[in-house]
Amino acid sequence: MRCLAARVNYKTLIVICALFTLLMVLLWNRCSSDRAGPYPRGLAGLERRAAASDPGRQQSEEASPQEQQKAPPVAGGFNNKAPGLKYEEIDCLINDEHTIKGRREGNEVFLPFSWVEKYFEVYGKIAQYDGYDRFEFSHSYSKVYTQRAPYHPDGVFMSFEGYNVEVRDRVKCISGVEGSRKPSHLHQQHLLVTQSTKLCVPLSTQWGPQGYFYPIQIAQYGLSHYSKNLTEKPPHIEVYETAEEKDKASRAAEWTVPKGCSLSTVADKAKFTSVKQFVAPENSEGVSLQLGNSRDFIISFDLKLTTNGSISVVLETTERNQLFTVHYVSNTQLIAFKDRDIYYGIGPRTSWSTLTRDLVTDLRKGVGLSNTKAVKQTKIMPKRVVRLVAKGRGFLDNVTISATAHMAAFFAASHWLVRNQDERGGWPIMVTRKLGEGFKSLEPGWYSAMAQGQAISTLVRAYLLTKEQAFLSAALRATAPYKLPAEQRGVKAVFMNRHDWYEEYPTSPSSFVLNGFMYSLIGLYDLKETAGEKLGKEARLLYERGMESLKAMLPLYDTGSGTIYDLRHFMLGTAPNLARWDYHTTHINQLQLLSTIDESPIFKEFVKRWKSYLRGGRAKHN
């Protein structure tokens, strides 16, 4: 009996163990399903839990972009859920103020990303890799660019090869007229530099729809094209007319000369070459040169007019293949648009000058012309340069179309800066600027340390390319406003009666804008390195004082999670003016450049910390 009882108890124990094991397997499968099931696709703006939230995995994906394209497939939408996943709508009370709808899955709550994005000022998008969707989240929207080391005054300026000043919606157009002040006696020597150059530079609407010449934008226009010229391949160029004898047979058929018009090849004593002479009344069709170029859209030609006249370029466009015509007219009107005709004034052009125009920019600025500060957005693009049409009386030579013309743009900016520098060594900004509540408005005629610095950087590069003394002389005179306080129309401020600072906006009280100050230091560095020990002495002293101030004051611009644009919170007792992410990365890029010419540890320390803020890093708290 005792053996039988033992046998029964043993069987019972086996059954109990089997049931317990089965129960554990079922529980494990359910938990695994709840935890590891695929994430639903198409959550219509819901915040998704992604593998990228794992720091270890995120680092791996950043190190190996190929792995990113092997992201696992994502399951279907709400009506096609994976087994075990149950979502329900839930009210989410935000700060006891308002309620939004979220989703609940067990103990997890999902908030709409459209709300998360605005509330935390973060960024995200659904991207597709090999047919699979993935949600990509980022703490910031701006990138840091590696600076070339060491920095040289004749090299690429920061990361300006990526700048496209002319396409900014606050650039009304690239002017065809000089817009320059009447040169003083001090500037007569500069006329030697610019006598055959017409200065096609940006016309800004940054702080007013009327349009004005803004030296910061003009310098940036020049520096960007200078940098592109160093980093891009030489452009493809197609020559259409040189008026030389060897071209007569091949080019004669491409000109159309209507009745009442004439076209001839003549020798020009000033150019020591043959040129095309045209006579075409304004009421005629004009003499035309067939171009037919659908590859490139930078047109250039030498022009001399003896009466009022125009050169027009006919473009086939993406606007239902419609033809638009860009007219370059011998008047001073900046820009006009009517029907499918765009007009740019280019001045009288009574002596030989080269006109170089970007037809893409000219078309889009004309179509987008508005009475507001910003140029209207448009998708129109040229597809083909059809022909060139000349009217009036004049001479034409060297008609070409190319992919780029970076040096023409660079020298247009450089020459403009020479001609428009005033007797005080500055480039007056002829528009009212209101920096904010508590600051006195800057009335037209104010100077900017950022303008002075970027103009110096432009002029130094022009000097190093040409060895023309006029460029270096203008750069040396540009240091004068650095030594004068705002009350005396200078750009100098002093922080806490101790640290010299060069003001982008010389306000009262001082504002101490960080990025403009660092641009001004880069200009001084370019000048001191180029001018030599004797001529560059003043620039060197200004640079050294500024660098001392920067090292001492950098901590004032660090919030522990980002940077500050200026010090108005200190000067006015207001809330801090936090730098948006593109200004934050500008601060980093500038410090990276300065760290290549000054090995002080403070620059590298701040670059490292400020970079971490872009990924959500924060300073330690108590």
Side-chain angles (χ1 to χ4, degrees):
M1 290 293 292
R2 189 176 300 168
C3 292
L4 182 60
R7 201 174 296 124
V8 171
N9 290 338
Y10 181 72
K11 288 183 178 180
T12 303
L13 181 61
I14 292 175
V15 171
I16 292 172
C17 288
L19 290 172
F20 181 78
T21 301
L22 179 61
L23 180 61
M24 291 297 292
V25 169
L26 291 172
L27 288 173
W28 174 260
N29 286 341
R30 176 159 186 178
C31 290
S32 299
S33 175
D34 285 347
R35 285 198 310 247
Y39 309 121
R41 178 182 179 183
L43 289 184
L46 294 184
E47 181 181 20
R48 301 185 183 187
R49 292 180 298 170
S53 64
D54 179 351
R57 174 153 185 176
Q58 187 175 14
Q59 186 176 11
S60 172
E61 288 183 349
E62 288 176 354
S64 178
Q66 292 82 3
E67 288 300 314
Q68 296 183 10
Q69 301 202 13
K70 297 178 183 177
V74 195
F78 281 117
N79 296 325
N80 191 22
K81 300 180 206 169
L85 281 182
K86 295 182 179 179
Y87 290 93
E88 58 181 346
E89 193 173 82
I90 187 172
D91 286 340
C92 301
L93 179 62
I94 309 299
N95 293 329
D96 288 327
E97 291 179 347
H98 59 276
T99 301
I100 64 172
K101 295 293 183 181
R103 294 285 188 273
R104 177 182 179 182
E105 174 203 337
N107 292 328
E108 288 283 3
V109 174
F110 297 84
L111 295 171
F113 185 75
S114 57
W115 176 84
V116 172
E117 184 175 29
K118 293 178 182 178
Y119 188 81
F120 292 103
E121 291 189 58
V122 292
Y123 309 90
K125 63 180 180 180
I126 295 176
Q128 194 173 75
Y129 295 89
D130 292 340
Y132 300 122
D133 286 347
R134 182 174 72 194
F135 185 78
E136 296 181 344
F137 173 90
S138 59
H139 188 76
S140 62
Y141 62 80
S142 193
K143 294 182 179 179
V144 173
Y145 295 95
T146 302
Q147 300 299 303
R148 295 163 179 83
Y151 171 79
H152 293 294
D154 62 348
V156 172
F157 186 84
M158 282 187 54
S159 304
F160 273 37
E161 72 274 18
Y163 277 35
N164 293 293
V165 175
E166 50 267 55
V167 306
R168 296 173 183 172
D169 62 4
R170 294 299 178 90
V171 170
K172 192 180 189 75
C173 65
I174 301 300
S175 167
V177 292
E178 294 188 21
S180 61
R181 55 190 290 279
K182 184 178 180 181
S184 69
H185 175 70
L186 291 174
H187 292 74
Q188 292 302 312
Q189 60 172 311
H190 305 152
L191 297 179
L192 295 174
V193 178
T194 59
Q195 61 185 353
S196 64
T197 306
K198 298 298 181 180
L199 313 179
C200 300
V201 295
L203 185 75
S204 178
T205 57
Q206 188 75 23
W207 299 306
Q210 73 279 7
Y212 58 94
F213 292 97
Y214 186 29
I216 289 177
Q217 271 190 355
I218 293 170
Q220 290 185 353
Y221 176 69
L223 289 168
S224 68
H225 282 284
Y226 178 92
S227 300
K228 289 175 191 292
N229 186 64
L230 291 178
T231 56
E232 295 180 2
K233 294 179 180 179
H236 172 263
I237 301 175
E238 190 78 26
V239 179
Y240 288 90
E241 180 63 81
T242 64
E244 297 298 326
E245 282 294 324
K246 61 183 179 181
D247 291 333
K248 273 191 173 182
S250 60
R251 296 293 184 186
E254 297 180 6
W255 281 98
T256 301
V257 184
K259 185 177 181 180
C261 302
S262 67
L263 180 73
S264 58
T265 302
V266 298
D268 187 273
K269 295 180 180 179
K271 288 174 66 70
F272 302 105
T273 186
S274 296
V275 299
K276 287 294 184 182
Q277 182 178 25
F278 61 88
V279 177
E282 283 296 325
N283 59 0
S284 70
E285 295 179 5
V287 299
S288 62
L289 173 64
Q290 295 302 311
L291 301 173
N293 194 318
S294 57
R295 172 175 175 172
D296 302 317
F297 297 98
I298 305 289
I299 192 165
S300 180
F301 49 84
D302 297 339
L303 177 66
K304 177 182 175 181
L305 294 172
T306 55
T307 64
N308 290 336
S310 65
I311 301 294
S312 303
V313 182
V314 180
L315 301 172
E316 181 184 340
T317 69
T318 55
E319 186 72 14
R320 298 187 298 276
N321 294 328
Q322 288 183 335
L323 298 181
F324 282 70
T325 304
V326 183
H327 305 272
Y328 302 105
V329 186
S330 61
N331 60 33
T332 57
Q333 183 178 28
L334 287 167
I335 182 173
F337 175 55
K338 184 179 180 181
D339 298 328
R340 294 197 296 274
D341 293 287
I342 302 161
Y343 300 87
Y344 288 91
I346 58 172
R349 304 274 170 164
T350 54
S351 59
W352 279 109
S353 64
T354 301
L355 185 67
T356 303
R357 302 296 300 189
D358 183 339
L359 296 170
V360 175
T361 299
D362 285 350
L363 172 68
R364 290 168 65 86
K365 294 293 182 182
V367 173
L369 188 64
S370 72
N371 294 322
T372 64
K373 290 183 181 180
V375 174
K376 291 183 294 187
Q377 294 294 316
T378 175
K379 293 182 179 180
I380 191 171
M381 291 287 287
K383 291 174 60 178
R384 186 167 63 98
V385 187
V386 179
R387 62 182 175 273
L388 176 149
V389 181
K391 291 185 179 182
R393 292 173 178 263
F395 304 87
L396 196 63
D397 195 16
N398 295 327
V399 181
T400 66
I401 294 180
S402 60
T404 59
H406 296 313
M407 295 315 289
F410 169 70
F411 279 114
S414 303
H415 291 151
W416 187 94
L417 291 168
V418 170
R419 282 189 62 89
N420 287 273
Q421 187 180 38
D422 68 11
E423 292 78 3
R424 301 168 65 92
W427 289 273
I429 299 171
M430 305 308 295
V431 67
T432 300
R433 174 72 169 114
K434 178 70 173 175
L435 191 60
E437 194 67 34
F439 292 111
K440 291 182 180 178
S441 295
L442 294 169
E443 298 303 323
W446 55 280
Y447 301 128
S448 166
M450 180 171 168
Q452 299 297 121
Q454 293 194 334
I456 290 173
S457 293
T458 306
L459 292 167
V460 161
R461 284 163 171 78
Y463 168 73
L464 290 171
L465 277 175
T466 66
K467 301 304 179 183
E468 287 277 356
Q469 190 63 34
F471 293 124
L472 183 59
S473 297
L476 290 168
R477 279 194 301 275
T479 61
Y482 282 81
K483 296 176 286 185
L484 297 175
E487 308 85 68
Q488 298 178 31
R489 289 192 65 203
V491 299
K492 180 182 174 181
V494 182
F495 184 73
M496 299 293 286
N497 297 317
R498 184 174 178 180
H499 300 296
D500 288 358
W501 194 270
Y502 312 127
E503 291 273 55
E504 178 178 351
Y505 304 111
T507 53
S508 179
S510 300
S511 45
F512 300 101
V513 175
L514 180 58
N515 83 92
F517 176 61
M518 288 195 278
Y519 277 130
S520 76
L521 293 180
I522 297 169
L524 291 172
Y525 175 81
D526 287 342
L527 182 55
K528 83 176 184 68
E529 290 293 299
T530 302
E533 186 174 349
K534 184 177 179 181
L535 289 176
K537 181 179 179 181
E538 199 163 67
R540 178 177 59 81
L541 292 173
L542 291 167
Y543 169 77
E544 289 174 352
R545 289 175 191 157
M547 287 293 276
E548 289 174 7
S549 300
L550 179 64
K551 294 169 187 176
M553 294 173 62
L554 264 181
L556 300 179
Y557 294 87
D558 193 329
T559 69
S561 60
T563 52
I564 296 176
Y565 180 81
D566 56 29
L567 296 185
R568 68 182 64 193
H569 61 294
F570 185 89
M571 303 303 296
L572 299 174
T574 61
N577 186 20
L578 301 180
R580 64 178 191 250
W581 287 121
D582 48 351
Y583 275 114
H584 179 73
T585 53
T586 295
H587 294 158
I588 296 172
N589 290 331
Q590 291 172 317
L591 286 183
Q592 286 186 148
L593 184 151
L594 293 174
S595 72
T596 73
I597 57 181
D598 187 315
E599 295 182 353
S600 299
I602 188 171
F603 292 140
K604 292 180 181 178
E605 291 169 6
F606 273 79
V607 165
K608 182 179 179 181
R609 185 158 69 246
W610 288 1
K611 278 184 176 179
S612 74
Y613 298 160
L614 293 167
R615 300 185 299 274
R618 290 177 176 268
K620 294 180 180 178
H621 55 73
N622 55 14

